[in-house]
mmCIF file of all heavy atoms in Angstrom:
data_model
loop_
_atom_site.group_PDB
_atom_site.id
_atom_site.type_symbol
_atom_site.label_atom_id
_atom_site.label_comp_id
_atom_site.label_asym_id
_atom_site.label_seq_id
_atom_site.Cartn_x
_atom_site.Cartn_y
_atom_site.Cartn_z
ATOM 1 N N MET A 1 6.236 -1.822 11.156
ATOM 2 C CA MET A 1 5.961 -1.790 9.739
ATOM 3 C C MET A 1 4.875 -0.751 9.450
ATOM 4 O O MET A 1 3.899 -0.640 10.177
ATOM 5 C CB MET A 1 5.501 -3.186 9.303
ATOM 6 C CG MET A 1 5.810 -3.492 7.878
ATOM 7 S SD MET A 1 5.555 -5.246 7.512
ATOM 8 C CE MET A 1 7.095 -5.522 6.710
ATOM 9 N N ALA A 2 5.062 0.003 8.389
ATOM 10 C CA ALA A 2 4.110 1.053 8.029
ATOM 11 C C ALA A 2 2.840 0.445 7.438
ATOM 12 O O ALA A 2 2.877 -0.587 6.761
ATOM 13 C CB ALA A 2 4.751 1.989 7.027
ATOM 14 N N LYS A 3 1.734 1.115 7.705
ATOM 15 C CA LYS A 3 0.449 0.683 7.150
ATOM 16 C C LYS A 3 0.001 1.716 6.130
ATOM 17 O O LYS A 3 0.184 2.922 6.344
ATOM 18 C CB LYS A 3 -0.604 0.550 8.241
ATOM 19 C CG LYS A 3 -0.359 -0.617 9.156
ATOM 20 C CD LYS A 3 -1.506 -0.792 10.118
ATOM 21 C CE LYS A 3 -1.242 -1.992 11.013
ATOM 22 N NZ LYS A 3 -2.374 -2.254 11.888
ATOM 23 N N TYR A 4 -0.586 1.226 5.040
ATOM 24 C CA TYR A 4 -1.034 2.099 3.970
ATOM 25 C C TYR A 4 -2.446 1.732 3.554
ATOM 26 O O TYR A 4 -2.806 0.557 3.539
ATOM 27 C CB TYR A 4 -0.121 1.975 2.743
ATOM 28 C CG TYR A 4 1.289 2.410 3.025
ATOM 29 C CD1 TYR A 4 2.273 1.488 3.341
ATOM 30 C CD2 TYR A 4 1.629 3.754 2.997
ATOM 31 C CE1 TYR A 4 3.563 1.889 3.621
ATOM 32 C CE2 TYR A 4 2.915 4.167 3.269
ATOM 33 C CZ TYR A 4 3.882 3.243 3.577
ATOM 34 O OH TYR A 4 5.155 3.639 3.855
ATOM 35 N N LYS A 5 -3.220 2.761 3.196
ATOM 36 C CA LYS A 5 -4.544 2.552 2.623
ATOM 37 C C LYS A 5 -4.376 2.561 1.112
ATOM 38 O O LYS A 5 -3.785 3.486 0.546
ATOM 39 C CB LYS A 5 -5.491 3.671 3.052
ATOM 40 C CG LYS A 5 -6.894 3.489 2.506
ATOM 41 C CD LYS A 5 -7.811 4.576 3.032
ATOM 42 C CE LYS A 5 -9.209 4.368 2.518
ATOM 43 N NZ LYS A 5 -10.109 5.425 3.053
ATOM 44 N N VAL A 6 -4.876 1.529 0.470
ATOM 45 C CA VAL A 6 -4.779 1.402 -0.980
ATOM 46 C C VAL A 6 -5.878 2.248 -1.616
ATOM 47 O O VAL A 6 -7.045 2.149 -1.245
ATOM 48 C CB VAL A 6 -4.907 -0.084 -1.394
ATOM 49 C CG1 VAL A 6 -4.883 -0.232 -2.895
ATOM 50 C CG2 VAL A 6 -3.797 -0.912 -0.746
ATOM 51 N N LEU A 7 -5.491 3.104 -2.575
ATOM 52 C CA LEU A 7 -6.435 3.999 -3.241
ATOM 53 C C LEU A 7 -6.843 3.495 -4.622
ATOM 54 O O LEU A 7 -7.905 3.849 -5.125
ATOM 55 C CB LEU A 7 -5.846 5.407 -3.351
ATOM 56 C CG LEU A 7 -5.446 6.036 -2.011
ATOM 57 C CD1 LEU A 7 -4.810 7.388 -2.237
ATOM 58 C CD2 LEU A 7 -6.637 6.137 -1.085
ATOM 59 N N VAL A 8 -5.979 2.716 -5.248
ATOM 60 C CA VAL A 8 -6.278 2.066 -6.528
ATOM 61 C C VAL A 8 -5.795 0.626 -6.428
ATOM 62 O O VAL A 8 -4.858 0.334 -5.694
ATOM 63 C CB VAL A 8 -5.592 2.772 -7.729
ATOM 64 C CG1 VAL A 8 -6.081 4.186 -7.894
ATOM 65 C CG2 VAL A 8 -4.097 2.750 -7.604
ATOM 66 N N GLY A 9 -6.426 -0.279 -7.148
ATOM 67 C CA GLY A 9 -6.011 -1.676 -7.092
ATOM 68 C C GLY A 9 -4.566 -1.841 -7.526
ATOM 69 O O GLY A 9 -4.143 -1.247 -8.515
ATOM 70 N N ILE A 10 -3.799 -2.594 -6.748
ATOM 71 C CA ILE A 10 -2.390 -2.836 -7.082
ATOM 72 C C ILE A 10 -2.057 -4.314 -6.919
ATOM 73 O O ILE A 10 -2.614 -5.009 -6.073
ATOM 74 C CB ILE A 10 -1.428 -1.995 -6.214
ATOM 75 C CG1 ILE A 10 -1.669 -2.222 -4.714
ATOM 76 C CG2 ILE A 10 -1.524 -0.522 -6.560
ATOM 77 C CD1 ILE A 10 -0.652 -1.548 -3.809
ATOM 78 N N ASN A 11 -1.155 -4.771 -7.756
ATOM 79 C CA ASN A 11 -0.557 -6.099 -7.635
ATOM 80 C C ASN A 11 0.868 -5.889 -7.153
ATOM 81 O O ASN A 11 1.541 -4.966 -7.602
ATOM 82 C CB ASN A 11 -0.525 -6.811 -8.987
ATOM 83 C CG ASN A 11 -1.895 -7.106 -9.505
ATOM 84 O OD1 ASN A 11 -2.755 -7.597 -8.793
ATOM 85 N ND2 ASN A 11 -2.143 -6.783 -10.760
ATOM 86 N N TYR A 12 1.306 -6.735 -6.236
ATOM 87 C CA TYR A 12 2.679 -6.628 -5.758
ATOM 88 C C TYR A 12 3.175 -8.003 -5.342
ATOM 89 O O TYR A 12 2.393 -8.907 -5.072
ATOM 90 C CB TYR A 12 2.788 -5.596 -4.630
ATOM 91 C CG TYR A 12 1.945 -5.864 -3.412
ATOM 92 C CD1 TYR A 12 2.491 -6.457 -2.277
ATOM 93 C CD2 TYR A 12 0.595 -5.522 -3.377
ATOM 94 C CE1 TYR A 12 1.725 -6.689 -1.147
ATOM 95 C CE2 TYR A 12 -0.178 -5.753 -2.251
ATOM 96 C CZ TYR A 12 0.392 -6.331 -1.146
ATOM 97 O OH TYR A 12 -0.363 -6.572 -0.036
ATOM 98 N N PRO A 13 4.501 -8.157 -5.335
ATOM 99 C CA PRO A 13 5.064 -9.468 -5.033
ATOM 100 C C PRO A 13 4.886 -9.845 -3.574
ATOM 101 O O PRO A 13 4.821 -8.946 -2.733
ATOM 102 C CB PRO A 13 6.538 -9.319 -5.375
ATOM 103 C CG PRO A 13 6.799 -7.879 -5.549
ATOM 104 C CD PRO A 13 5.484 -7.170 -5.671
ATOM 105 N N PRO A 14 4.838 -11.119 -3.264
ATOM 106 C CA PRO A 14 4.770 -12.251 -4.198
ATOM 107 C C PRO A 14 3.322 -12.655 -4.461
ATOM 108 O O PRO A 14 2.653 -13.145 -3.564
ATOM 109 C CB PRO A 14 5.512 -13.360 -3.465
ATOM 110 C CG PRO A 14 5.250 -13.081 -2.002
ATOM 111 C CD PRO A 14 5.067 -11.569 -1.883
ATOM 112 N N ASP A 15 2.848 -12.392 -5.635
ATOM 113 C CA ASP A 15 1.491 -12.762 -6.066
ATOM 114 C C ASP A 15 0.398 -12.234 -5.142
ATOM 115 O O ASP A 15 -0.490 -12.969 -4.726
ATOM 116 C CB ASP A 15 1.352 -14.285 -6.202
ATOM 117 C CG ASP A 15 2.232 -14.836 -7.296
ATOM 118 O OD1 ASP A 15 2.407 -14.148 -8.308
ATOM 119 O OD2 ASP A 15 2.742 -15.951 -7.133
ATOM 120 N N ARG A 16 0.488 -10.949 -4.788
ATOM 121 C CA ARG A 16 -0.495 -10.326 -3.909
ATOM 122 C C ARG A 16 -1.314 -9.305 -4.690
ATOM 123 O O ARG A 16 -0.844 -8.729 -5.652
ATOM 124 C CB ARG A 16 0.205 -9.616 -2.745
ATOM 125 C CG ARG A 16 1.039 -10.522 -1.856
ATOM 126 C CD ARG A 16 0.275 -11.126 -0.776
ATOM 127 N NE ARG A 16 -0.420 -10.042 -0.068
ATOM 128 C CZ ARG A 16 -1.261 -10.233 0.913
ATOM 129 N NH1 ARG A 16 -1.515 -11.426 1.328
ATOM 130 N NH2 ARG A 16 -1.864 -9.225 1.491
ATOM 131 N N ARG A 17 -2.537 -9.059 -4.251
ATOM 132 C CA ARG A 17 -3.423 -8.070 -4.856
ATOM 133 C C ARG A 17 -4.109 -7.317 -3.720
ATOM 134 O O ARG A 17 -4.559 -7.924 -2.738
ATOM 135 C CB ARG A 17 -4.471 -8.762 -5.735
ATOM 136 C CG ARG A 17 -5.565 -7.860 -6.255
ATOM 137 C CD ARG A 17 -5.211 -7.222 -7.558
ATOM 138 N NE ARG A 17 -6.274 -6.294 -7.975
ATOM 139 C CZ ARG A 17 -6.068 -5.280 -8.764
ATOM 140 N NH1 ARG A 17 -4.865 -5.061 -9.256
ATOM 141 N NH2 ARG A 17 -7.047 -4.477 -9.107
ATOM 142 N N ALA A 18 -4.178 -6.004 -3.835
ATOM 143 C CA ALA A 18 -4.888 -5.179 -2.862
ATOM 144 C C ALA A 18 -5.875 -4.303 -3.622
ATOM 145 O O ALA A 18 -5.529 -3.713 -4.636
ATOM 146 C CB ALA A 18 -3.918 -4.330 -2.063
ATOM 147 N N GLU A 19 -7.077 -4.230 -3.125
ATOM 148 C CA GLU A 19 -8.138 -3.453 -3.750
ATOM 149 C C GLU A 19 -8.311 -2.122 -3.018
ATOM 150 O O GLU A 19 -7.927 -1.989 -1.854
ATOM 151 C CB GLU A 19 -9.454 -4.244 -3.717
ATOM 152 C CG GLU A 19 -9.421 -5.552 -4.508
ATOM 153 C CD GLU A 19 -9.225 -5.359 -5.997
ATOM 154 O OE1 GLU A 19 -9.502 -4.260 -6.530
ATOM 155 O OE2 GLU A 19 -8.786 -6.317 -6.654
ATOM 156 N N PRO A 20 -8.913 -1.114 -3.682
ATOM 157 C CA PRO A 20 -9.121 0.181 -3.042
ATOM 158 C C PRO A 20 -9.847 0.038 -1.700
ATOM 159 O O PRO A 20 -10.807 -0.720 -1.579
ATOM 160 C CB PRO A 20 -9.991 0.934 -4.057
ATOM 161 C CG PRO A 20 -9.624 0.324 -5.374
ATOM 162 C CD PRO A 20 -9.383 -1.130 -5.073
ATOM 163 N N GLY A 21 -9.347 0.762 -0.702
ATOM 164 C CA GLY A 21 -9.934 0.741 0.634
ATOM 165 C C GLY A 21 -9.256 -0.228 1.579
ATOM 166 O O GLY A 21 -9.419 -0.115 2.794
ATOM 167 N N GLU A 22 -8.502 -1.177 1.054
ATOM 168 C CA GLU A 22 -7.807 -2.134 1.916
ATOM 169 C C GLU A 22 -6.637 -1.457 2.623
ATOM 170 O O GLU A 22 -6.022 -0.535 2.097
ATOM 171 C CB GLU A 22 -7.277 -3.324 1.116
ATOM 172 C CG GLU A 22 -8.350 -4.276 0.665
ATOM 173 C CD GLU A 22 -7.766 -5.514 0.006
ATOM 174 O OE1 GLU A 22 -6.868 -6.143 0.592
ATOM 175 O OE2 GLU A 22 -8.210 -5.832 -1.103
ATOM 176 N N ILE A 23 -6.321 -1.941 3.824
ATOM 177 C CA ILE A 23 -5.156 -1.496 4.579
ATOM 178 C C ILE A 23 -4.120 -2.609 4.487
ATOM 179 O O ILE A 23 -4.416 -3.762 4.799
ATOM 180 C CB ILE A 23 -5.511 -1.234 6.062
ATOM 181 C CG1 ILE A 23 -6.674 -0.246 6.179
ATOM 182 C CG2 ILE A 23 -4.274 -0.752 6.827
ATOM 183 C CD1 ILE A 23 -6.445 1.108 5.576
ATOM 184 N N VAL A 24 -2.918 -2.251 4.036
ATOM 185 C CA VAL A 24 -1.856 -3.241 3.877
ATOM 186 C C VAL A 24 -0.623 -2.806 4.655
ATOM 187 O O VAL A 24 -0.395 -1.611 4.872
ATOM 188 C CB VAL A 24 -1.503 -3.457 2.381
ATOM 189 C CG1 VAL A 24 -2.683 -4.022 1.614
ATOM 190 C CG2 VAL A 24 -1.029 -2.181 1.728
ATOM 191 N N ASP A 25 0.161 -3.780 5.080
ATOM 192 C CA ASP A 25 1.411 -3.479 5.774
ATOM 193 C C ASP A 25 2.566 -4.331 5.259
ATOM 194 O O ASP A 25 3.601 -4.435 5.898
ATOM 195 C CB ASP A 25 1.254 -3.661 7.287
ATOM 196 C CG ASP A 25 0.952 -5.106 7.678
ATOM 197 O OD1 ASP A 25 0.857 -5.976 6.799
ATOM 198 O OD2 ASP A 25 0.800 -5.348 8.889
ATOM 199 N N ASP A 26 2.379 -4.909 4.075
ATOM 200 C CA ASP A 26 3.405 -5.798 3.543
ATOM 201 C C ASP A 26 3.886 -5.390 2.155
ATOM 202 O O ASP A 26 4.341 -6.219 1.382
ATOM 203 C CB ASP A 26 2.896 -7.244 3.522
ATOM 204 C CG ASP A 26 1.661 -7.427 2.656
ATOM 205 O OD1 ASP A 26 1.037 -6.428 2.265
ATOM 206 O OD2 ASP A 26 1.316 -8.592 2.373
ATOM 207 N N LEU A 27 3.809 -4.094 1.838
ATOM 208 C CA LEU A 27 4.303 -3.620 0.543
ATOM 209 C C LEU A 27 5.826 -3.696 0.514
ATOM 210 O O LEU A 27 6.481 -3.482 1.546
ATOM 211 C CB LEU A 27 3.879 -2.172 0.302
ATOM 212 C CG LEU A 27 2.397 -1.931 0.100
ATOM 213 C CD1 LEU A 27 2.134 -0.429 0.020
ATOM 214 C CD2 LEU A 27 1.887 -2.627 -1.139
ATOM 215 N N PRO A 28 6.400 -3.954 -0.658
ATOM 216 C CA PRO A 28 7.862 -3.921 -0.751
ATOM 217 C C PRO A 28 8.377 -2.520 -0.410
ATOM 218 O O PRO A 28 7.841 -1.517 -0.896
ATOM 219 C CB PRO A 28 8.131 -4.247 -2.220
ATOM 220 C CG PRO A 28 6.899 -4.974 -2.686
ATOM 221 C CD PRO A 28 5.774 -4.362 -1.912
ATOM 222 N N VAL A 29 9.385 -2.443 0.425
ATOM 223 C CA VAL A 29 9.934 -1.164 0.868
ATOM 224 C C VAL A 29 10.351 -0.305 -0.328
ATOM 225 O O VAL A 29 10.138 0.906 -0.335
ATOM 226 C CB VAL A 29 11.131 -1.393 1.827
ATOM 227 C CG1 VAL A 29 11.800 -0.080 2.188
ATOM 228 C CG2 VAL A 29 10.673 -2.120 3.064
ATOM 229 N N LYS A 30 10.908 -0.933 -1.359
ATOM 230 C CA LYS A 30 11.357 -0.204 -2.546
ATOM 231 C C LYS A 30 10.199 0.476 -3.267
ATOM 232 O O LYS A 30 10.408 1.441 -3.991
ATOM 233 C CB LYS A 30 12.036 -1.149 -3.539
ATOM 234 C CG LYS A 30 13.322 -1.745 -3.061
ATOM 235 C CD LYS A 30 13.875 -2.648 -4.137
ATOM 236 C CE LYS A 30 15.040 -3.460 -3.651
ATOM 237 N NZ LYS A 30 15.532 -4.377 -4.681
ATOM 238 N N SER A 31 8.991 -0.006 -3.111
ATOM 239 C CA SER A 31 7.842 0.520 -3.839
ATOM 240 C C SER A 31 7.063 1.597 -3.090
ATOM 241 O O SER A 31 6.291 2.336 -3.707
ATOM 242 C CB SER A 31 6.889 -0.631 -4.176
ATOM 243 O OG SER A 31 7.541 -1.618 -4.939
ATOM 244 N N GLU A 32 7.241 1.690 -1.797
ATOM 245 C CA GLU A 32 6.433 2.591 -0.990
ATOM 246 C C GLU A 32 6.506 4.038 -1.478
ATOM 247 O O GLU A 32 5.478 4.695 -1.642
ATOM 248 C CB GLU A 32 6.830 2.504 0.482
ATOM 249 C CG GLU A 32 6.444 1.184 1.103
ATOM 250 C CD GLU A 32 6.949 1.012 2.522
ATOM 251 O OE1 GLU A 32 7.580 1.947 3.083
ATOM 252 O OE2 GLU A 32 6.716 -0.064 3.092
ATOM 253 N N ALA A 33 7.706 4.553 -1.735
ATOM 254 C CA ALA A 33 7.867 5.965 -2.116
ATOM 255 C C ALA A 33 7.150 6.287 -3.416
ATOM 256 O O ALA A 33 6.412 7.270 -3.501
ATOM 257 C CB ALA A 33 9.350 6.324 -2.217
ATOM 258 N N TRP A 34 7.349 5.472 -4.446
ATOM 259 C CA TRP A 34 6.731 5.816 -5.729
ATOM 260 C C TRP A 34 5.224 5.573 -5.705
ATOM 261 O O TRP A 34 4.472 6.286 -6.368
ATOM 262 C CB TRP A 34 7.416 5.144 -6.922
ATOM 263 C CG TRP A 34 7.238 3.670 -7.078
ATOM 264 C CD1 TRP A 34 8.079 2.687 -6.655
ATOM 265 C CD2 TRP A 34 6.153 3.008 -7.740
ATOM 266 N NE1 TRP A 34 7.580 1.461 -7.000
ATOM 267 C CE2 TRP A 34 6.398 1.625 -7.670
ATOM 268 C CE3 TRP A 34 4.992 3.440 -8.381
ATOM 269 C CZ2 TRP A 34 5.529 0.677 -8.204
ATOM 270 C CZ3 TRP A 34 4.137 2.490 -8.918
ATOM 271 C CH2 TRP A 34 4.408 1.135 -8.829
ATOM 272 N N LEU A 35 4.752 4.607 -4.945
ATOM 273 C CA LEU A 35 3.305 4.397 -4.831
ATOM 274 C C LEU A 35 2.645 5.592 -4.137
ATOM 275 O O LEU A 35 1.563 6.033 -4.533
ATOM 276 C CB LEU A 35 3.007 3.106 -4.076
ATOM 277 C CG LEU A 35 3.255 1.809 -4.853
ATOM 278 C CD1 LEU A 35 3.206 0.605 -3.917
ATOM 279 C CD2 LEU A 35 2.272 1.647 -5.990
ATOM 280 N N LEU A 36 3.297 6.138 -3.113
ATOM 281 C CA LEU A 36 2.797 7.342 -2.445
ATOM 282 C C LEU A 36 2.805 8.527 -3.414
ATOM 283 O O LEU A 36 1.832 9.273 -3.523
ATOM 284 C CB LEU A 36 3.657 7.668 -1.223
ATOM 285 C CG LEU A 36 3.425 6.818 0.015
ATOM 286 C CD1 LEU A 36 4.566 6.992 0.997
ATOM 287 C CD2 LEU A 36 2.098 7.148 0.664
ATOM 288 N N GLU A 37 3.913 8.690 -4.122
ATOM 289 C CA GLU A 37 4.068 9.807 -5.057
ATOM 290 C C GLU A 37 3.022 9.772 -6.172
ATOM 291 O O GLU A 37 2.497 10.809 -6.576
ATOM 292 C CB GLU A 37 5.469 9.763 -5.656
ATOM 293 C CG GLU A 37 5.808 10.936 -6.529
ATOM 294 C CD GLU A 37 7.232 10.856 -7.028
ATOM 295 O OE1 GLU A 37 8.159 10.933 -6.197
ATOM 296 O OE2 GLU A 37 7.402 10.706 -8.238
ATOM 297 N N GLN A 38 2.698 8.583 -6.648
ATOM 298 C CA GLN A 38 1.733 8.422 -7.738
ATOM 299 C C GLN A 38 0.286 8.442 -7.251
ATOM 300 O O GLN A 38 -0.636 8.398 -8.059
ATOM 301 C CB GLN A 38 2.003 7.110 -8.485
ATOM 302 C CG GLN A 38 3.316 7.069 -9.217
ATOM 303 C CD GLN A 38 3.358 8.054 -10.358
ATOM 304 O OE1 GLN A 38 2.408 8.203 -11.107
ATOM 305 N NE2 GLN A 38 4.475 8.763 -10.476
ATOM 306 N N GLY A 39 0.080 8.486 -5.938
ATOM 307 C CA GLY A 39 -1.270 8.540 -5.395
ATOM 308 C C GLY A 39 -1.980 7.198 -5.374
ATOM 309 O O GLY A 39 -3.205 7.149 -5.300
ATOM 310 N N CYS A 40 -1.221 6.120 -5.412
ATOM 311 C CA CYS A 40 -1.803 4.774 -5.382
ATOM 312 C C CYS A 40 -2.127 4.323 -3.968
ATOM 313 O O CYS A 40 -3.005 3.489 -3.764
ATOM 314 C CB CYS A 40 -0.848 3.772 -6.023
ATOM 315 S SG CYS A 40 -0.497 4.123 -7.754
ATOM 316 N N ILE A 41 -1.389 4.869 -2.994
ATOM 317 C CA ILE A 41 -1.585 4.539 -1.584
ATOM 318 C C ILE A 41 -1.475 5.828 -0.778
ATOM 319 O O ILE A 41 -0.960 6.837 -1.264
ATOM 320 C CB ILE A 41 -0.546 3.515 -1.070
ATOM 321 C CG1 ILE A 41 0.883 4.073 -1.209
ATOM 322 C CG2 ILE A 41 -0.697 2.174 -1.768
ATOM 323 C CD1 ILE A 41 1.966 3.219 -0.589
ATOM 324 N N GLU A 42 -1.961 5.791 0.464
ATOM 325 C CA GLU A 42 -1.735 6.882 1.398
ATOM 326 C C GLU A 42 -1.397 6.293 2.744
ATOM 327 O O GLU A 42 -1.828 5.190 3.076
ATOM 328 C CB GLU A 42 -2.938 7.824 1.484
ATOM 329 C CG GLU A 42 -4.181 7.214 2.081
ATOM 330 C CD GLU A 42 -5.361 8.183 2.108
ATOM 331 O OE1 GLU A 42 -5.368 9.180 1.398
ATOM 332 O OE2 GLU A 42 -6.301 7.883 2.871
ATOM 333 N N ALA A 43 -0.601 7.030 3.501
ATOM 334 C CA ALA A 43 -0.201 6.556 4.831
ATOM 335 C C ALA A 43 -1.442 6.439 5.703
ATOM 336 O O ALA A 43 -2.295 7.323 5.709
ATOM 337 C CB ALA A 43 0.809 7.505 5.459
ATOM 338 N N GLU A 44 -1.553 5.351 6.417
ATOM 339 C CA GLU A 44 -2.674 5.112 7.318
ATOM 340 C C GLU A 44 -2.335 5.692 8.676
ATOM 341 O O GLU A 44 -1.299 5.378 9.260
ATOM 342 C CB GLU A 44 -2.950 3.610 7.433
ATOM 343 C CG GLU A 44 -4.077 3.245 8.348
ATOM 344 C CD GLU A 44 -5.449 3.708 7.865
ATOM 345 O OE1 GLU A 44 -5.591 4.122 6.699
ATOM 346 O OE2 GLU A 44 -6.377 3.653 8.660
ATOM 347 N N VAL A 45 -3.176 6.579 9.164
ATOM 348 C CA VAL A 45 -2.967 7.198 10.470
ATOM 349 C C VAL A 45 -3.600 6.293 11.522
ATOM 350 O O VAL A 45 -4.769 5.945 11.420
ATOM 351 C CB VAL A 45 -3.612 8.596 10.528
ATOM 352 C CG1 VAL A 45 -3.441 9.211 11.902
ATOM 353 C CG2 VAL A 45 -3.010 9.482 9.448
ATOM 354 N N THR A 46 -2.801 5.917 12.493
ATOM 355 C CA THR A 46 -3.303 5.080 13.571
ATOM 356 C C THR A 46 -3.545 5.951 14.787
ATOM 357 O O THR A 46 -2.727 6.817 15.110
ATOM 358 C CB THR A 46 -2.334 3.933 13.914
ATOM 359 O OG1 THR A 46 -1.056 4.495 14.207
ATOM 360 C CG2 THR A 46 -2.200 2.968 12.762
ATOM 361 N N LYS A 47 -4.642 5.743 15.447
ATOM 362 C CA LYS A 47 -4.981 6.507 16.646
ATOM 363 C C LYS A 47 -4.577 5.727 17.869
ATOM 364 O O LYS A 47 -4.850 4.547 17.989
ATOM 365 C CB LYS A 47 -6.474 6.804 16.658
ATOM 366 C CG LYS A 47 -6.880 7.671 15.504
ATOM 367 C CD LYS A 47 -8.346 7.965 15.519
ATOM 368 C CE LYS A 47 -8.657 8.852 14.316
ATOM 369 N NZ LYS A 47 -9.994 8.827 13.899
ATOM 370 N N SER A 48 -3.902 6.408 18.798
ATOM 371 C CA SER A 48 -3.446 5.752 20.021
ATOM 372 C C SER A 48 -4.365 6.055 21.169
ATOM 373 O O SER A 48 -4.913 7.084 21.293
ATOM 374 C CB SER A 48 -2.059 6.211 20.410
ATOM 375 O OG SER A 48 -1.217 6.357 19.338
#
């Protein structure tokens, strides 16, 4: 599952809230593209 850093506060189903700076991995797949495009989230780079 992809991880994203939240850049602006977002609400997403089911009854979830993420604040700026949080790392989330449970965003709806349908929303990932437009949230990235709008600058609401950014892909989290993981170091191996």
Side-chain angles (χ1 to χ4, degrees):
M1 208 169 229
K3 289 186 179 184
Y4 297 97
K5 181 176 182 179
V6 177
L7 303 177
V8 297
I10 55 173
N11 295 313
Y12 59 99
D15 295 325
R16 299 272 308 176
R17 172 89 183 155
E19 297 296 339
E22 287 186 50
I23 305 300
V24 297
D25 64 0
D26 60 347
L27 292 174
V29 174
K30 294 180 190 177
S31 302
E32 291 174 2
W34 71 264
L35 286 168
L36 283 165
E37 186 177 295
Q38 294 294 317
C40 299
I41 60 173
E42 66 182 18
E44 179 66 12
V45 178
T46 55
K47 297 180 180 158
S48 320

